[in-house]
Amino acid sequence: MAAGLPSDLSSDREADAGGVPVIRVHLLGAFDVSVAGQVVSENAWRQRKAAAVVKLLALDPANRLHRERLIDLLWPELDYDAGLNNLRQALYHARRELQRGGMPAGSVLRRDGEMVVLAAGDGVWVDVQAYERAARQAWRAPSPDSIRAAIDLYAGDLLPDDVYEEWTEPLRTTLRAGYLALLTRLGELHVERGQPDRAIDAWQRLVQAEQGLESAHRSLMRAYAETGQPEMALRQYDRLATILARDLDEHPEPATRELARAIAEGQIPVVISSSASSERAHPVMNLPSPVSSLVGRTREVAEVRQLLSTERLVTLTGPGGIGKTRLAIEAARGVTDDFPDGVAFIDLSSLADPELVIPAIAQALSVRETAGEALGATLVATVRDRNLLLVLDNFERVTGAGRDIASLLEQAPSLKALVTSRVRLRLRGEREYPVPPLANADDAEPGTVTDAVALFVERSRAVQPQFQLTDENAVTVDAICRRLAGLPLAIELAAARSRLLKPEAILNRLKRPLELLASGPLDLPARQQTIRATIQWSADLLDAGAQQFFTRLSAFAGGWTLEAAEAVAGDSSASPDALGYLEALVDQNLVTQLVQPDGEVRFGMLETIREFGLERLADSGEEEAIRDRHAAWVVRLAEQAEPNLEGTEQARWLARLEQEADNIRAALAWLREQGNAEPALRLVSVLRLTWFSRG
């Protein structure tokens, strides 16, 4: 058995504890099923839907699915009754073939209420699940042995005969990215340990799996050179050049050409001159710098980086609060060297009109409109030959702009896009990466501090420095993280209560909102219900004044200053303490705080929390008054800027108005919706010079 491999991953057992023969299902590289060591004939699966039922049940971590889910996946075009009839026939065929293979009658593909279960107890072994367990262990405690134990289980891509089935594509993409990332990490580990000869095997496997992965070719060239094989290194360079010319009509990157030159000139260890970097343009680098550290996500960051090395459009999907934005920022930060022209971060959370996406990208890249040419054409001309990464955050509200992104990528062959969205864009060439929740104790070895628990502890220490994870509270903290389904935002909101409450009290207070939520809409995903309940719980723990202040602040789009908060959310009759309220909201992670380069402090909300605030604002009876107040504040700001838009203060005021662009859009939209033309026209009149100057 390979070192570091849990016993259940390579077990030869052929029956569970109850004596029922074990079904072994292989989905990686090919689909085959065996019962008690005997392979079920390939001819048994000529009924493709019967095979698909087994595949879907095997892919589910619990090997069970609701029958409506099976119908939706396999017969989406049929009504429920017709789909149910087809499902019964598929189950009949699959059950018959598995029983012929040796499974006792009644032990396989059983009904459990509305659920369909592949087999009871430990009666199923699936290679995907075995690989995933080994991969989790490899990322949790990386070593050459643990990584090899995982990659040896990866027999090939998921269900290669089902590449056109929509239900296989996201998982296939994720599994393949994970496999390539593990190979990369294996090579890096050997390099870190001064073992370039052992790294060569990992790089060779990586190049074999992904022939066009230039970074892997560079690593292999360097390893050959450092083990006294410069001729092999140069041969590898020639092989890469051939692959790029044949498949992509491209040449190796400057860094690769420079590496080949250094090896040819005998510079071993390899010394790279600065000539390659001199080809860089002035890179765009506007990635946000979150104040708090990223806890966990080592595996996810590596997998997304791997996808970005091979794909041009990668979409991180998942519910609000799962950590898509934070993961995108960290992954993008790790690949900046691969994009000589930089990384541009574009926050789309405040946009509702898809037609504003291209202008938002142009603004981030400092592309201005030119007379007689559409802005989109100018943008294409600007980025066509640039090796640039666009990080498009919160795309779910402007999915109608997906075709614009596809067109931009098509016309700019060196451009790539990393998108975060609650839904996929459904574009050709898109690679979806579903962001998983943080791991809980079910996924870890006994006694391991999981990523979810580690996040809770770190965020608790931020508000209560004396907080410690002890033998006494560890089980409770884990229970909190489980109850919150491993959602990072929910965990952070709960951890913020550690200033006043012990873990036991936090867990007790989490029970009520989650139980109340159980009677809510059944079509909402459980995780989305959980995050809504957690935000509700955190908001309800504020005093009445802070709750009202929080609700009113949701009228802002794209952030605000303390003075703006006082003007829009303040209420003199209640003698509000705006700074005190903001401090309380920041402490509870309901409001974020960001120090600008000029030292000014701005505040904002994550889009998930702002949506919750807007719902409460609509229910409060104050929505019209607060939105009117917000629009009036925007108009006053524009009028204050007007006399300064020409002269020595022009640059400062243009920058200020650009900073408030999202609030300006929100105000104009509200004024138009209310039919309030006079202030809207006044605002447009004042801003005409800004729009002319800044496009």
Side-chain angles (χ1 to χ4, degrees), residues 421-441:
S421 174
R422 298 189 191 183
V423 295
R424 61 182 301 188
L425 276 58
R426 305 185 73 83
L427 298 174
R428 287 181 301 166
E430 178 186 19
R431 290 296 175 263
E432 180 185 4
Y433 183 90
V435 179
L438 291 174
N440 58 41

Side-chain angles (χ1 to χ4, degrees), residues 192-307:
E192 292 167 6
R193 298 181 180 201
Q195 302 168 329
D197 53 332
R198 297 187 181 183
I200 287 175
D201 177 65
W203 301 135
Q204 286 176 334
R205 291 181 68 171
L206 187 55
V207 166
Q208 183 178 9
E210 194 66 55
Q211 292 189 2
L213 187 56
E214 191 160 347
S215 60
H217 285 274
R218 281 199 298 268
S219 297
L220 185 53
M221 289 167 59
R222 186 182 293 273
Y224 278 137
E226 292 178 353
T227 54
Q229 305 176 75
E231 70 287 348
M232 290 293 292
L234 295 176
R235 193 176 302 168
Q236 192 66 39
Y237 174 80
D238 292 339
R239 188 174 297 121
L240 169 65
T242 300
I243 291 170
L244 293 177
R246 180 193 66 205
D247 297 342
L248 302 173
D249 194 24
E250 292 181 358
H251 300 289
E253 296 172 357
T256 312
R257 298 199 300 268
E258 178 66 8
L259 176 60
R261 182 203 60 76
I263 293 172
E265 294 179 0
Q267 297 179 21
I268 302 173
V270 181
V271 178
I272 304 297
S273 73
S274 60
S275 61
S277 61
S278 67
E279 298 188 31
R280 283 177 176 263
H282 296 292
V284 178
M285 288 297 297
N286 69 335
L287 279 175
S289 299
V291 177
S292 58
S293 61
L294 179 65
V295 177
R297 297 300 197 195
T298 303
R299 175 183 181 178
E300 290 84 355
V301 169
E303 290 176 349
V304 174
R305 289 178 60 182
Q306 184 63 57
L307 282 172

Side-chain angles (χ1 to χ4, degrees), residues 253 280 283-287 305 308 328-344 387-389 391:
E253 296 172 357
R280 283 177 176 263
V284 178
M285 288 297 297
N286 69 335
L287 279 175
R305 289 178 60 182
L308 286 171
I329 292 171
E330 198 68 22
R333 196 178 304 284
V335 298
T336 52
D337 288 345
D338 298 333
F339 295 94
D341 295 307
V343 178
N387 193 339
L388 179 71
L389 174 65
V391 182

